[in-house]
Amino acid sequence: MDRANIVIIGGGVVGCAVARAVSARWSDVFLVEQTPKFGMGASTRNSGVIHSGIYYPPGSLKAQMCVEGNRMLHEFCAAHNVPHRNCGKLVVAHGHGQEAALGNLAENGRANGVEGLRLVDRTTIRAREPHIEASAALEVLSTGIVSAEDLVKTLARMATEQGANLLTHTRVIRIEPRTDSLAVTVVEGDADDPARANEETIEARCVINCAGLFADDIAAMLGNRSYRIYPVRGEYCELVRAKSYLVNNLVYPLPHTDGLSLGVHLTRTLWGTVLVGPTADYIADRNDYEHNRLPVEEFVRRAKPMLPELEAADLQLAYSGIRAKLVPPGHEGLADFVITREASAPRAIQLIGIESPGLTSSLAIAQRVVALAAEILE
């Protein structure tokens, strides 16, 4: 049986950030990821936006981790040559009612410590985004964009260089408490080829649940069945290359009042393409990225108030991603991140409901996890 100080379950951007952070302080760190590559799920199936922290309730973990993570991520990307761009964004409004909501959003952002917020008029909007229609906008200077795939690769490489053992094609099937450890049983190999799979147990002094969409399954293995993840699929379209000139940077509508999403927005990527999306719909299967995809006409309907020139012929279907929501269908509001030690298994740390702004918050979350791990290991 292998012995470890720390076993991290899940190799998305948060898991890899945690691996980098804890392996700088402790030896014998293992990370296990069930897919063939790190960051294949929600970590890279998103808009790649470095969020500012304007949306989340003051005092919430989402607000704290996002604002802190924004600063850390900009600095990290610059220091380690991770492709990114400090581009800012516009949250646009149409008419007096929405303009009042913009003011409230700005106040919320300032309460969270977000700097560089200002309300701008139609003339200023048109100077930045000539094809965008809006009566007013909130300019958010600290918003940026990052290559999520390069970020994950850099974090994984740094963790490995610090001595961490990062394993793909490895899924957890059982976690059992021992006197002074947790026994994590994993199966290595292709899940579709059981004959070649290899079962092993790692005895860990600390287990960190970074399993994303499957974090509730891991929590149940740790003895806590009170969490449930509700998968929400977000779909994207992309502007055809000839129409990519229509958007210069990032343009958002006001967020959905039910808290489900930030709405279909316009994202100019680091590669010069323009994404339209994501949508937000509850689905039954956590691996269902493609079944019953929305038609391009639906994206046109949602984005056209911001971009009146947009037509169906300007769009092609792109990828989709799935968010790990803690709010069930039919309910409203924002659920906060869960980042805590597990009462039923004191050697475990739970990270559950790490949806947006999880990418932005990843380095700040990892820093918080280090403090929790120190309570267990030191």
Side-chain angles (χ1 to χ4, degrees), residues 51-73:
H51 285 290
S52 63
I54 60 175
Y55 299 109
Y56 318 108
S60 66
L61 275 176
K62 282 186 175 180
Q64 295 172 42
M65 296 294 99
C66 187
V67 173
E68 187 177 348
N70 175 288
R71 174 187 57 78
M72 294 177 72
L73 192 52

Side-chain angles (χ1 to χ4, degrees), residues 14 17-19 21-22 65 351 361-371:
V14 172
V18 168
V22 298
M65 296 294 99
L351 279 67
S361 304
S362 55
L363 299 178
I365 291 172
Q367 191 175 61
R368 191 176 185 90
V369 168
V370 167

Side-chain angles (χ1 to χ4, degrees), residues 62 90 122 149 209 251 254 280 284 339:
K62 282 186 175 180
L90 295 175
R122 189 174 187 275
E149 186 170 348
N209 177 10
V251 183
L254 283 162
I339 307 171

Side-chain angles (χ1 to χ4, degrees), residues 26-53:
W26 295 285
S27 60
D28 298 320
V29 172
F30 285 77
L31 181 150
V32 296
E33 165 57 42
Q34 64 180 348
T35 66
K37 287 172 56 181
F38 301 115
M40 284 185 70
S43 298
T44 54
R45 290 174 169 267
N46 57 63
S47 303
V49 171
I50 305 174
H51 285 290
S52 63

Side-chain angles (χ1 to χ4, degrees), residues 71-84 86 146:
R71 174 187 57 78
M72 294 177 72
L73 192 52
H74 279 298
E75 292 175 358
F76 180 88
C77 290
H80 298 285
N81 298 312
V82 177
H84 70 294
N86 298 31
V146 63

